[in-house]
Amino acid sequence: MTYSQRSTHAAAASDFTYLEYQIGLAAEELKEAQGLMKVHEADLSRLTASPGYDPGSVTPEELLLREQSAKQQALIEGIQATLAGLEDELAKLED
């Protein structure tokens, strides 16, 4: 169903618009979260590749970066689940 077809159905039009807006927000939030995850991964990679790095000992900085990466990964997975749910709702409205 095209936007013009949806807009002729007043009740459905607002639902579609709302879901499309929420999907856009979630997609942008996901993009930002993935970008921050890349920064954490790059920082961790830089730390583990440094000449003085000892794989046998874990530094507080490494622990912090690993914790931040884990939290960011959980956030990304949550956003992806939300986005999938919104897209499913939108698909149901289109039927």
Side-chain angles (χ1 to χ4, degrees):
M1 183 180 283
T2 66
Y3 178 77
S4 61
Q5 290 170 324
R6 288 191 307 247
S7 64
T8 61
H9 300 87
S14 65
D15 291 342
F16 276 98
T17 303
Y18 174 77
L19 285 172
E20 288 170 341
Y21 175 74
Q22 292 299 316
I23 288 170
L25 287 178
E28 187 61 34
E29 188 177 351
L30 179 60
K31 183 179 173 182
E32 290 175 18
Q34 288 171 331
L36 188 54
M37 182 69 173
K38 286 181 183 181
V39 169
H40 292 317
E41 289 173 347
D43 289 347
L44 186 58
S45 178
R46 204 173 305 117
L47 178 68
T48 58
S50 67
Y53 177 72
D54 178 12
S57 67
V58 179
T59 65
E61 183 181 9
E62 182 180 0
L63 282 175
L64 178 63
L65 287 170
R66 291 191 186 281
E67 183 180 305
Q68 289 173 336
S69 291
K71 286 180 182 179
Q72 199 64 26
Q73 184 61 39
L75 177 64
I76 288 170
E77 290 170 3
I79 295 169
Q80 288 172 331
T82 299
L83 189 56
L86 290 168
E87 289 171 343
D88 286 346
E89 287 297 315
L90 185 62
K92 288 177 187 175
L93 284 177
E94 290 176 342
D95 289 339

